[in-house]
Amino acid sequence: MERKFNIWRGSAEKGEFKTYSIKLEQGMVVLDAIHRIQTEHSNDLAVRWNCKAGKCGSCSMEINGRPKLSCMTRMNEFAEDDIITIQPLKTFPIIKDLVTDVSWNYKQNKMIPPFKPRVKKNGKDHVMFQQDVVRRLQCFVRLQKCAVFTVVRRLQCLWNSQKTLVSRMLVLR
Ligand code: FES
């Protein structure tokens, strides 16, 4: 299926939308489509991405006027006859095509003090506490798979159902 894309090409001072048409395959996201456009039509199209898993935010762009992560935006979200418009985020200065200057984010990040867990009075810090909780959870998960625990639980169920049966018989008398 052929799909049309209007993609911003150029810098902040000078640029225009260019139309590209590519064939899509099932399961593609917008970032895949952009990569295909790079491969088939315009290998100088600038786009930034890193994780392709919705974690880093570097593939952020405006897709049909809305800020989105292109690696997490599925092509099947759009109508088949939709022409998809892709442009850089308006919040940041454009460097080239879909790439913006996000250095402001890094400056802000440096201003955030690093997390230092408080040391508790008994000398154990938060990490130790979390490890303790994790250990207990792991023990509980193992218990669910433990054969002995399963047998005991089944015997309890049997005992409970027999108690119910006996009490019902008493009621019936
Ligand atoms: S590539 Fe990292 S969020 Fe899209």
Side-chain angles (χ1 to χ4, degrees):
M1 181 197 347
E2 285 278 322
R3 294 296 295 267
K4 281 199 170 128
F5 292 82
N6 277 338
I7 299 183
W8 175 261
R9 301 300 312 269
S11 61
E13 299 82 43
K14 195 174 157 218
E16 60 179 340
F17 282 98
K18 287 197 176 168
T19 306
Y20 300 95
S21 184
I22 56 158
K23 204 167 170 241
L24 292 187
E25 270 142 49
Q26 207 175 7
M28 280 176 94
V29 292
V30 171
L31 187 60
D32 295 326
I34 293 169
H35 285 158
R36 182 159 284 181
I37 291 166
Q38 271 184 326
T39 309
E40 295 177 0
H41 298 285
S42 180
N43 55 17
D44 64 339
L45 169 63
V47 61
R48 187 187 285 132
W49 64 284
N50 191 14
C51 67
K52 207 172 182 257
K55 304 285 180 206
C56 68
S58 58
C59 69
S60 310
M61 53 188 74
E62 289 201 10
I63 302 168
N64 283 354
R66 291 178 169 227
K68 288 191 168 206
L69 296 175
S70 62
C71 72
M72 299 303 285
T73 309
R74 298 211 158 270
M75 285 304 303
N76 62 9
E77 288 178 23
F78 306 101
E80 284 185 11
D81 54 348
D82 227 4
I83 298 175
I84 296 150
T85 303
I86 302 172
Q87 62 193 103
L89 285 179
K90 288 178 189 145
T91 327
F92 298 104
I94 300 171
I95 296 175
K96 186 184 179 225
D97 301 337
L98 301 175
V99 177
T100 51
D101 178 7
V102 290
S103 55
W104 182 85
N105 290 345
Y106 297 103
K107 277 182 210 145
Q108 296 304 309
N109 191 32
K110 278 186 185 156
M111 288 161 61
I112 300 169
F115 173 71
K116 285 183 196 152
R118 269 182 297 149
V119 178
K120 286 188 174 178
K121 283 179 188 160
N122 61 6
K124 289 185 178 178
D125 60 17
H126 284 72
V127 177
M128 290 303 288
F129 174 72
Q130 284 177 351
Q131 284 172 346
D132 188 42
V133 171
V134 168
R135 222 176 291 131
R136 281 179 201 184
L137 284 170
Q138 282 173 340
C139 180
F140 179 72
V141 169
R142 272 189 225 120
L143 208 56
Q144 296 296 312
K145 292 179 181 170
C146 172
V148 176
F149 181 73
T150 309
V151 168
V152 170
R153 208 171 43 185
R154 286 204 179 135
L155 285 173
Q156 271 180 340
C157 280
L158 194 67
W159 170 245
N160 286 344
S161 64
Q162 281 180 346
K163 270 200 304 193
T164 311
L165 192 68
V166 169
S167 58
R168 275 191 187 162
M169 284 168 73
L170 288 172
V171 169
L172 286 175
R173 276 190 172 181

